[in-house]
Amino acid sequence: MSMELDKLIEVVKEKMEKKIPVEGSGRHIHLSHEDGKKLFGENYEFTILKELSQPGQVAYKERVRLIGPKGVIEGVVILGPSREKTQVELSLTDTRILGVKGVLRESGHIENTPGIVIGNGDKVIEIKEGVIVAKNHIHMNEEEAKNLNVKDKDLVKIKIYSERPVIFEDVLIRVNKNFKLAMHIDYDEGNSCMLNKESFGVIYE
């Protein structure tokens, strides 16, 4: 029995050494360069409010509003740098408020997704596609992937250790040399597990 207990302790210890930070990702928008000009002006320069956990990613001080068939959401944060195509990332609750279909997608895969109207003051544009509910995922670099014994595009189970533990399945692994280890879940998912600063994830086998 003692040997079995020692083995269990070692397994738990190993898992704790491979803790994954978990971050709640609120609704936000990635604007294309062209759409940014349409909403804010030809030579407008966005003001960086803060740097995000992923290197090179920032949140701007400026905000936009989203206008859907059933509702409006004000004060949506803009993340930078700009992308080739505008992408809006929402929780399923947000999509219901706006009256748009909630389509679960990996970031950047916006083909055949809903569009929406985006406004800034009296300037308004409409995108034909680009609204997604982002698939939960884990950013990491090559060394971190090696340590966790996973590779890019793998799907894994993650147990969130929190006041209300939850296991998420089919969590997407995203490996890039510029990434830093962090799991991203939206606020609906964060609320489901009562996510807080002490929460963390572990690959569940």
Side-chain angles (χ1 to χ4, degrees):
M1 181 65 70
S2 177
M3 289 182 63
E4 291 180 0
L5 180 59
D6 288 345
K7 185 176 180 180
L8 178 61
I9 291 172
E10 284 300 314
V11 170
V12 172
K13 182 179 178 182
E14 181 180 358
K15 285 184 177 293
M16 292 305 101
E17 289 174 348
K18 296 186 176 182
K19 294 193 298 185
I20 299 169
V22 182
E23 301 173 348
S25 179
R27 69 178 76 100
H28 60 270
I29 184 170
H30 302 273
L31 285 172
S32 70
H33 182 65
E34 288 301 314
D35 287 343
K37 289 196 298 183
K38 292 175 183 176
L39 287 168
F40 289 90
E42 184 71 25
N43 298 311
Y44 189 85
E45 293 188 10
F46 289 94
T47 303
I48 295 176
L49 180 65
K50 65 177 180 179
E51 295 183 353
L52 303 180
S53 63
Q54 294 307 307
Q57 302 297 302
V58 298
Y60 294 127
K61 181 179 180 180
E62 292 79 3
R63 300 288 187 270
V64 295
R65 67 182 179 278
L66 301 177
I67 306 165
K70 292 185 178 180
V72 176
I73 296 180
E74 301 279 358
V76 178
V77 66
I78 305 168
L79 301 189
S82 61
R83 294 195 177 182
E84 183 179 348
K85 293 182 179 180
T86 293
Q87 176 177 291
V88 179
E89 297 184 34
L90 303 173
S91 70
L92 194 58
T93 298
D94 293 332
T95 66
R96 290 172 176 168
I97 291 171
L98 292 166
V100 298
K101 184 179 180 180
V103 178
L104 187 66
R105 288 289 181 86
E106 180 183 349
S107 179
H109 294 219
I110 63 172
E111 300 80 8
N112 301 314
T113 57
I116 201 163
V117 175
I118 306 165
N120 172 44
D122 60 355
K123 297 182 177 67
V124 175
I125 64 170
E126 181 178 5
I127 57 172
K128 299 301 182 183
E129 61 182 10
V131 177
I132 68 169
V133 175
K135 185 175 180 59
N136 51 31
H137 55 278
I138 307 173
H139 294 276
M140 63 184 72
N141 59 39
E142 291 93 339
E143 186 63 30
E144 291 161 341
K146 182 178 179 181
N147 181 53
L148 293 170
N149 195 31
V150 294
K151 61 183 183 300
D152 191 45
K153 303 300 182 183
D154 277 355
L155 297 175
V156 298
K157 292 182 182 180
I158 299 293
K159 181 172 182 178
I160 306 297
Y161 286 82
S162 62
E163 190 174 347
R164 186 164 65 185
V166 169
I167 295 174
F168 288 109
E169 298 194 23
D170 295 334
V171 179
L172 178 68
I173 300 296
R174 299 179 61 188
V175 181
N176 184 287
K177 64 180 181 179
N178 297 317
F179 287 164
K180 180 181 177 182
L181 184 63
M183 178 177 179
H184 285 172
I185 60 178
D186 67 31
Y187 281 5
D188 283 355
E189 294 167 319
N191 288 336
S192 74
C193 62
M194 299 181 72
L195 185 71
N196 59 40
K197 292 181 179 180
E198 284 71 46
S199 302
F200 61 91
V202 172
I203 293 178
Y204 187 82
E205 299 174 353

